[in-house]
Amino acid sequence: MDNFNTLIDAIAQYRKEGYVEDFNLRQNCLECRNGAFRIFHNEFRIDKFYRFDQDTDPADQTIIYAISSPKYDLKGILINAYGVYSEPLTDEMVSALAMK
């Protein structure tokens, strides 16, 4: 199990492990490379994740995902807020990003 002190530490470690793409979360897919790839819920998997909880500030509630897409031969990270600042998503995306 990963244990990180900061988000920067998590990003650096996942990059070393080959998760080099920067995924952006859209309502119904992930995007990378300025929209060149649109990856839908059934085209990626969550390999691992780490959640940063800060009890004192809801703005510090962040999760980093290490994601792979065998279909497109891509590995990357997605950083997202959760709780109060989470994005509206389709049910399929919520399910795909659910912590397992």
Side-chain angles (χ1 to χ4, degrees):
M1 179 77 180
D2 293 323
N3 190 17
F4 303 110
N5 291 321
T6 68
L7 183 58
I8 299 300
D9 293 339
I11 293 169
Q13 180 59 42
Y14 289 164
R15 295 272 192 245
K16 286 180 190 174
E17 295 174 16
Y19 296 91
V20 296
E21 298 293 336
D22 291 315
F23 291 116
N24 295 303
L25 186 60
R26 301 295 180 242
Q27 184 181 16
N28 64 345
C29 68
L30 299 176
E31 285 186 353
C32 69
R33 298 186 190 175
N34 293 319
F37 289 93
R38 295 187 64 168
I39 304 168
F40 294 90
H41 71 278
N42 59 342
E43 299 173 330
F44 71 87
R45 66 176 176 239
I46 306 297
D47 298 326
K48 53 178 135 178
F49 64 89
Y50 190 80
R51 190 166 90 177
F52 293 90
D53 278 323
Q54 299 297 327
D55 294 332
T56 58
D57 187 355
D60 289 337
Q61 294 180 330
T62 304
I63 188 165
I64 182 171
Y65 297 96
I67 296 173
S68 60
S69 175
K71 178 178 180 175
Y72 297 104
D73 194 28
L74 296 171
K75 289 174 67 175
I77 60 173
L78 171 67
I79 300 167
N80 194 34
Y82 63 93
V84 174
Y85 296 104
S86 63
E87 298 288 329
L89 302 173
T90 62
D91 291 342
E92 293 85 4
M93 285 298 288
V94 169
S95 179
L97 294 171
M99 289 185 276
K100 311 235 186 287

